[in-house]
Amino acid sequence: MQVLNCEQTKKLEKSAVNAGISYLELMENAGAAAVRFLRKKFSLSGRKAVILCGKGNNGGDGFVAARKLSELGALVSVVLVDGPPRTDIAKTMFSRLENTSVKILDYVGNMETIGPVISSSDYIIDAIYGTGFHGSAPDILLPVFRAVQYSSAVVFSLDIPSGASCDSGAVDGECIRADYTISFSTLKNGHVIRPAQSYCGQVAVVPIGIDANLITGQKSTLEVMEPSSGQALLKPRDPLSNKGNYGRLLCFCGSEGMAGAAVMSAKAAVRCGAGIVDVALPRTIYPIVASRIVEPVFTLLDYGPGGKMLSTVLPTLKNAMAKASACLLGCGLGQNEDLQQTVFELIANSQIPLIIDADGINLLAENINVLKAVRVPVVLTPHPGEMARLMKSTVEDVQAHRLEYAGNFASQYNVILVLKGAGTIVAEPNGMVHLNPTGNAGMAKGGSGDVLAGMIASFVAQGIEPAKAAAGAVYLHGAAGDRCAKELSQCAMLPTDMIDMLPRLFLELER
């Protein structure tokens, strides 16, 4: 699903104008479309509607909506929250309110009277800032924002709630919390990126007269994953094929005390269709892992006292990698100097795609520039804490700039970055970013990441292009989590339940 940022939205509108529609017509269509949406859901005649209008073009959309609501019998008041309109087309729309029953109220100088008008309304339309906003709302408007917050009215935001950044999804300070956000022509970044997303309520995309071919032709660097992202990974199998046709995945995972990570990643990989899964792990935990999953083959590694690797480990791993079509490393691997040097050696000399998770990422954070020498596709799957270590930053900073940091990191280090969390982001080196709409808080349990890493690695081993494998696996992982939450509850569901849910999900998507 296509998503545009502020600049891309401006380019789309300019293309429409070049094709023959005026900016004034677009504004008229936007305000009218917003009222049509409202009318479909609510009665209007005799109801009180307050339109909060800024001085820019978003306010102009609000003026149109005010006029249309008045024509339908609503009792309409327009509040100029920042004085009269400043753009030419907004001024034109404001002038069309003359000789209508719409009341015009100026917030500046009359602040004490505006609160009761807002609190007594049935509907509030937020047309203060729109997509060009960034930063934080000025203190003078905070009483307006709070009056909206405490009102019992149904709140509609035009394009995006005022106080939220269209591009980054950031909310710096107070923000209008809408019940509905009416977006014109396409989704915008802020509709799908948190925290802005949580202020949008239900998002409806309405047409405003821009040709569909112009919309689909507008270059976008952000898309929301859809079921097709997962379906693309589930290809029909050739009746004459054998296990050799579906790849061989090497999983260098697990350590003493972390056998479960090896189990879950390998089980997810087998479940997602890899022909052969080879689990390379310490000999000491082999009985535990083999008792929980019998499908893989095992490459046993010998460690000395204190977890020190014996000299046979690296040659053994290199031999196993030479047979594989992809390698997953890091799930429950542990961290020490021996492991770090081994991981660096494997990464630097790999001839097959790499999926690096958990401790693999933590070890990599000590020398991130190793990635710049890699000549094969690399998928990194950090959670916010691991991403913070990679960037020498903080979790709070990462969470506040998820889209920006994920995109920049993927480009800088030429990797596919899967930044996990609510709304997992898959960023490609070419600047394309995919946002996942599936998943829930019940997945916030140790082991969920191991399952996802195994899924991605399995699809990559089968020959699927790594970026598509990552995006599709993330979607399927979240969809399985949503089904588990529905059947088992968010509290009680387990990461292993998601693996067990995959067959039913795959059957449905394959039909």
Side-chain angles (χ1 to χ4, degrees):
M1 188 183 303
Q2 191 177 33
V3 185
L4 300 185
N5 62 28
C6 183
E7 186 61 30
Q8 291 160 351
T9 300
K10 289 178 181 178
K11 289 181 179 178
L12 173 62
E13 292 174 350
K14 185 175 181 180
S15 297
V17 170
N18 291 338
I21 191 169
S22 70
Y23 283 114
L24 196 66
E25 288 176 287
L26 289 175
M27 182 173 284
E28 178 73 19
N29 293 347
V35 172
R36 283 197 298 271
F37 175 82
L38 198 157
R39 187 183 187 186
K40 286 180 181 179
K41 292 187 170 291
F42 302 97
S43 62
L44 298 177
S45 182
R47 299 300 178 92
K48 295 180 180 179
V50 173
I51 322 296
L52 305 174
C53 294
K55 60 187 178 183
N57 287 341
N58 197 240
D61 298 335
F63 297 144
V64 177
R67 173 161 44 88
K68 297 293 183 180
L69 286 169
S70 179
E71 291 170 357
L72 293 170
L75 307 176
V76 183
S77 298
V78 164
V79 177
L80 302 176
V81 299
D82 196 20
R86 305 285 177 85
T87 70
D88 289 340
I89 55 175
K91 288 177 182 178
T92 298
M93 293 307 183
F94 183 61
S95 70
R96 292 180 182 180
L97 293 178
E98 294 179 9
N99 302 318
T100 70
S101 61
V102 175
K103 294 181 180 178
I104 308 297
L105 306 171
D106 197 337
Y107 172 64
V108 178
N110 300 283
M111 290 182 274
E112 69 283 351
T113 64
I114 300 302
V117 173
I118 293 174
S119 63
S120 64
S121 62
D122 298 301
Y123 310 118
I124 297 170
I125 293 182
D126 159 32
I128 300 174
Y129 288 130
T131 58
F133 175 83
H134 57 85
S136 58
D139 290 345
I140 193 173
L141 291 188
L142 297 188
V144 174
F145 282 45
R146 290 166 188 168
V148 173
Q149 178 183 348
Y150 294 117
S151 170
S152 60
V154 182
V155 180
F156 301 82
S157 285
L158 301 188
D159 248 344
I160 193 164
S162 293
S165 167
C166 171
D167 285 355
S168 70
V171 175
D172 183 9
E174 298 200 29
C175 181
I176 297 291
R177 189 176 293 277
D179 297 296
Y180 299 90
T181 295
I182 303 170
S183 180
F184 304 128
S185 300
T186 69
L187 284 174
K188 312 300 190 301
N189 286 15
H191 299 146
V192 296
I193 303 173
R194 299 190 183 196
Q197 180 194 46
S198 63
Y199 289 85
C200 290
Q202 178 181 320
V203 179
V205 178
V206 298
I208 62 170
I210 298 178
D211 186 272
N213 291 326
L214 291 178
I215 295 173
T216 56
Q218 175 60 50
K219 184 179 180 181
S220 172
T221 54
L222 176 65
E223 69 170 15
V224 177
M225 299 174 201
E226 298 182 272
S228 58
S229 301
Q231 287 172 322
L233 308 186
L234 307 176
K235 299 178 180 178
R237 297 200 162 198
D238 185 338
L240 300 180
S241 62
N242 59 64
K243 63 186 178 184
N245 295 109
Y246 301 105
R248 182 184 181 105
L249 174 66
L250 174 65
C251 298
F252 180 29
C253 300
S255 59
E256 291 189 15
M258 296 292 288
V263 172
M264 287 184 281
S265 57
K267 190 173 183 181
V270 170
R271 186 66 84 183
C272 287
I276 301 173
V277 176
D278 178 4
V279 183
L281 44 63
R283 188 181 299 273
T284 53
I285 66 169
Y286 165 71
I288 302 171
V289 176
S291 69
R292 296 295 305 274
I293 178 169
V294 298
E295 290 85 0
V297 298
F298 292 89
T299 295
L300 304 184
L301 307 174
D302 293 306
Y303 291 69
K308 186 174 179 59
M309 288 183 164
L310 299 186
S311 60
T312 56
V313 168
L314 185 56
T316 300
L317 286 169
K318 286 184 175 181
N319 183 57
M321 286 188 75
K323 302 175 186 176
S325 54
C327 176
L328 166 63
L329 59 90
C331 302
L333 195 60
Q335 297 181 61
N336 59 46
E337 189 174 337
D338 276 0
L339 275 170
Q340 184 180 67
Q341 294 306 313
T342 299
V343 166
F344 286 175
E345 180 76 14
L346 294 177
I347 291 173
N349 294 287
S350 180
Q351 301 297 310
I352 56 175
L354 297 168
I355 298 85
I356 306 175
D357 184 52
D359 284 331
I361 294 172
N362 293 327
L363 292 169
L364 194 60
E366 299 300 317
N367 186 10
I368 190 67
N369 288 324
V370 168
L371 289 173
K372 293 184 177 180
V374 179
R375 295 292 179 265
V376 296
V378 176
V379 181
L380 293 181
T381 59
H383 58 54
E386 291 160 350
M387 188 68 183
R389 285 191 280 278
L390 285 172
M391 298 187 64
K392 311 299 182 189
S393 183
T394 65
V395 172
E396 292 75 19
D397 184 43
V398 168
Q399 292 293 73
H401 303 90
R402 284 174 61 84
L403 187 68
E404 176 189 356
Y405 287 178
N408 289 346
F409 190 96
S411 177
Q412 181 179 356
Y413 292 100
N414 195 36
V415 299
I416 297 150
L417 187 85
V418 180
L419 180 53
K420 295 181 289 193
T424 292
I425 291 169
V426 179
E428 299 185 53
N430 63 8
M432 192 66 199
V433 178
H434 312 266
L435 188 73
N436 185 42
T438 64
N440 61 83
M443 298 166 66
K445 296 183 174 76
S448 291
D450 301 314
V451 173
L452 175 60
M455 292 175 67
I456 296 172
S458 180
F459 291 123
V460 174
Q462 292 172 62
I464 295 171
E465 195 273 319
K468 291 182 179 179
V474 165
Y475 182 91
L476 294 170
H477 181 252
D482 288 339
R483 287 170 178 248
C484 287
K486 186 175 181 179
E487 294 187 19
L488 304 172
S489 83
Q490 290 188 9
C491 181
M493 62 178 283
L494 301 174
T496 48
D497 294 327
M498 290 189 286
I499 301 174
D500 295 336
M501 188 63 69
L502 291 176
R504 278 181 276 171
L505 177 63
F506 289 4
L507 268 177
E508 182 176 310
L509 291 174
E510 286 173 350
R511 291 194 183 105

